[in-house]
Every structure is written in structure tokens, then in C-alpha cells.
Amino acid sequence: MAISIALAGKPNCGKSTFFKAVTLANVEIANYPFTTIDANHGVAYVRTACPCRELKLNCGICRDGVRFVPIEMIDVAGLVPNAHLGRGLGNAFLDNLRQAKAIIHVIDASGSTDIEGAPVPAGSHDPLEDIEFLEHEITMWMSGILKRNWERLSRKVQAEGLKLEETIAGQLEGAGITEGHVKTVLTRLKLPREKPHIWTDEQIIQLSDKLRAESKPLILAANKVDVASQENIDKLVKKGAIPVSAAAEVALRLADKGGAIKYIPGDPDFIESPSLSDAQKGGLSKIRALMKKLGGTGIQKCINETVFGLLDLIVVYPVEDENKYSDKNGRILPDAFLVKKGSTPKDLAFMVHTDIGKGFLYAVDARTKMRLGEKTELKNGDIVKIVAVK
Ligand SMILES: Nc1nc2c(ncn2[C@@H]2O[C@H](COP(=O)(O)OP(=O)(O)OP(=O)(O)O)[C@@H](O)[C@H]2O)c(=O)[nH]1
Ligand SMILES: [Mg+2]
């Protein structure tokens, strides 16, 4: 199953525009809050160098040596401060974040929407104010779920010896929390383990906050930089945000699809076809100026940073024929898998198929033809043949 990433943030910050840019799905986009109510799900891609170039092969899948590995993107409804108290659409729709392994927090860097997403004169709202609330709302959403039945559950932990990690993970299953997450977080927090029923509200919020950070790390995308002041952009970059223009990326991808330009997502520039109208040229030259400044539109960079930076994933290519780098039908480098850094060939085998994982014997590095032991750490770009008992 592809890894899921969610786009979240206040209403009207450009989440659906970002989503449209990366999935080319036709979704509703408008300059007012709560345009999106039901979450949009689509396929986006992380960009990487395809090994076929280096091997002097043609996989027929990549574009000019650029490989796009699919991930799932989720565009959720806008969230406002105090959504957990029922403001805006409330936070029930945060259930859509359940599968998300990371969040791209989209911020309107132009300051042309207030904290609740209503249009205001450009520059009149300080985007720095929009940063903190999202994490808080997600934390409060989780703590709200955890507190449901807590009285009863925590007493059971004490009286009937239920496993604490299992109980908490079970309660937060809908938020995508696993026992592993709970274990990691509990070892860091100094909560009285043996008496969960005396945990205060504050302690439950603290636990939820750590669980949120552990299970859904987040990066900031400072959107609408095409109309934002340099001052706002600088302020957000200082906070670690990646400057982006979702609108520019939509224009480029559509122009590329329509044949007006050649643009490979994530490239710092594009090539114009000779037959453009003056209006097209005018629009594109504005985008080009922005790309020069940012080194691109920032959109692909955001996805790549989330997948490779935040989530620490690498790309590996399982093959069946290590000499031809292909599957048994001769398709070259047919699959690209995103795996956690530190994964072993055996982990990869399990990802390919449970039976292959169970029957794992050894793996071969297709480049060197050397055997890889069960415990070898895979490297980014590895091409691996797995040998398993049939
Ligand atoms: N100038 C500029 N406008 C943008 C950009 N991205 C989005 N917008 C505009 O911002 C407004 C809101 O965009 P949406 O994508 O609908 O925002 P959203 O966050 O999905 O909004 P909700 O679904 O209401 O939460 C629209 O008018 C978009 O055209 C951008 O990069 N630059
Ligand atoms: Mg939307």
C-alpha cells in the first residue's frame, strides 16, 4: 500500500490547489473558506533519479531519467482554531488523517486570508499566527478520543492487568496510532504507568501531543509566494517553511499536459513550445521569474522533503532477473518501493509479498551480483533480487 501524506491547514490556504497540482484531479478550488468538505484522495509522486540511465537501459517508465514513485495524497477540509470545541466544521473530519504518515501544513504566506480563512486585504494577516494552531488542534482531537472511556479503560488496566500500550493504541486506532508509537512515547514521558486512572487532563494532552508528533510529523509549506511579501516569506522560511506556489505548479503541469511546455515536476525551469500565444508567454514568464527565485515552484520539493527527510524513506527496486534488471516478463525496473531507511532485504521481501518474506533465503545486489545477507541495510537506489523458497 502506498504511503499516505495529508495536506492540512486553515481554510482557503490552498490545500486543494496543492492537491490538484500534484494529482491533476479536478477538485473544487475557491476563494472562500470550507470549499472542501469531504476529503479528496489521489495519487501524487515523489521524485527520484531512475537507475536505468546509469545502467544505460531504458525502463520506459521514467521521464528523461526522472522516476516518479507513487504515494497517496489526502486533501482534508480546512481547520480553524478551537475546532476541537466545535468551531468551523469541528474536527470530526480529522478522521481523514488516520492513514496519514505525515502532514504538509499549508500556510497562506500572502496574508490575504484571516485565521479562519476569510479573504482580507493582502498582507493584513500575519501568517506566523497560523503555524501553531494546527498541531494543537490535532493534539486536542487525539486527546478527545483518548479521554472517551478513559475512566473505565484506565481502571481496567489497573484492575485486570490490561496492557497499557495496547489499551491506548486500541483507543487511538482511528487516529492511526500503533502500539509501537505508544511504546516509544511512554518511555520518554514520566507518567505514573501503574496508575493511569489518576493521570490528569494535562498529562493526557501531553501524551497525545507526543503521540501526534511521533505518528504524524509535519512540515510547513508557505504557499501563495507569488503574491506574498518578501518579509512574510523570510519570516516563514526562518520557521523552517518551504516556499511554494501551488497555483504556479498547477499552471505548469496543465501546460505540460497540453503540450504548451515541457515541464518535469520538480525541475527548476521548463521549455516552451514554439507556438505559444503572447498571453501564454506572458503568464509563463511570470512563473519563470518566480521559479528562478525559488529554484522551482517548491511543490515537488515539499513532497520529496516529506518522504525522504521527514519520513526517512529510501527507494529500492526489486527485480526478478538480476542480470537484466527486470521482472520475468522483461520489464526493466518495473517496481519502485519506498522503504524505511535501515530496512533489510528481508523487510523488502515482506513488502513484496508475505509468502516471499516467509520463504526468504537471501538477496542479491543486482549491480554487484553480490549476495546480501538478511541483515544488510538497503541503500537508496538499490536494485535487489530476492531469492525465496517456492
Ligand atoms: N496567488 C495564489 N493563489 C493561490 C495559490 N494557491 C491557491 N490559491 C488561491 O487560494 C484560494 C483557495 O484555494 P483552495 O485550494 O481552494 O484552498 P483550500 O485550502 O483547499 O480551501 P478550503 O477547502 O476552503 O479549506 C483560491 O482562490 C486559489 O486560487 C497560489 O499559489 N498563489
Ligand atoms: Mg480545499
Side-chain angles (χ1 to χ4, degrees), residues 163-385:
K163 216 175 131 200
L164 184 60
E165 282 83 358
E166 204 178 304
T167 309
I168 294 175
Q171 188 69 2
L172 284 171
E173 201 185 344
I177 303 291
T178 63
E179 257 187 84
H181 293 137
V182 181
K183 211 176 214 163
T184 311
V185 165
L186 279 182
T187 50
R188 281 192 225 134
L189 283 175
K190 292 195 177 58
L191 290 171
R193 274 193 70 104
E194 45 318 315
K195 294 183 192 152
H197 64 280
I198 64 157
W199 292 359
T200 62
D201 276 6
E202 281 312 303
Q203 285 173 318
I204 291 179
I205 292 171
Q206 193 193 17
L207 170 66
S208 305
D209 193 52
K210 295 276 187 283
L211 285 171
R212 171 197 56 73
E214 184 66 24
S215 64
K216 303 195 191 306
L218 170 156
I219 66 161
L220 302 175
N223 189 32
K224 308 193 193 180
V225 287
D226 50 306
V227 288
S229 68
Q230 192 58 46
E231 186 195 344
N232 276 3
I233 300 174
D234 291 344
K235 278 200 290 199
L236 289 164
V237 167
K238 254 197 194 144
K239 294 279 178 188
I242 298 177
V244 306
S245 173
E249 184 74 9
V250 170
L252 291 175
R253 294 213 192 185
L254 290 177
D256 175 67
K257 201 174 168 211
I261 61 169
K262 179 178 173 186
Y263 169 66
I264 301 180
D267 271 0
D269 201 359
F270 55 86
I271 301 164
E272 289 171 29
S273 87
S275 57
L276 293 182
S277 67
D278 285 345
Q280 281 175 312
K281 280 187 197 158
L284 286 168
S285 77
K286 281 199 194 120
I287 295 179
R288 175 165 278 145
L290 180 75
M291 292 171 85
K292 275 231 162 73
K293 197 169 109 184
L294 304 178
T297 67
I299 295 292
Q300 188 65 55
K301 185 172 169 190
C302 248
I303 297 181
N304 272 42
E305 182 55 32
T306 306
V307 170
F308 297 131
L310 211 53
L311 293 173
D312 222 9
L313 301 175
I314 57 170
V315 186
V316 292
Y317 302 84
V319 292
E320 284 170 75
D321 183 330
E322 73 273 34
N323 295 307
K324 295 197 177 119
Y325 303 97
S326 69
D327 65 9
K328 57 179 180 301
N329 299 320
R331 294 194 312 144
I332 295 165
L333 300 168
D335 299 307
F337 277 65
L338 288 165
V339 304
K340 192 96 188 152
K341 203 185 250 168
S343 295
T344 63
K346 195 167 179 180
D347 296 329
L348 176 65
F350 270 105
M351 283 180 77
V352 173
H353 199 283
T354 318
D355 289 343
I356 297 182
K358 282 184 188 151
F360 180 87
L361 294 173
Y362 62 91
V364 178
D365 178 334
R367 282 197 185 79
T368 60
K369 319 293 179 220
M370 303 274 274
R371 266 201 192 199
L372 294 169
E374 199 172 290
K375 300 220 169 79
T376 325
E377 262 191 32
L378 293 169
K379 299 184 304 301
N380 189 41
D382 272 353
I383 306 169
V384 182
K385 178 193 162 73

Side-chain angles (χ1 to χ4, degrees), residues 11-17 29-30 34-36 223-224 226 245-247:
N12 218 352
C13 59
K15 299 176 295 297
S16 297
T17 309
I29 292 170
F34 304 120
T35 305
T36 308
N223 189 32
K224 308 193 193 180
D226 50 306
S245 173

Side-chain angles (χ1 to χ4, degrees), residues 72 141 160 248 329 379:
E72 185 192 31
W141 166 63
E160 295 170 29
N329 299 320
K379 299 184 304 301

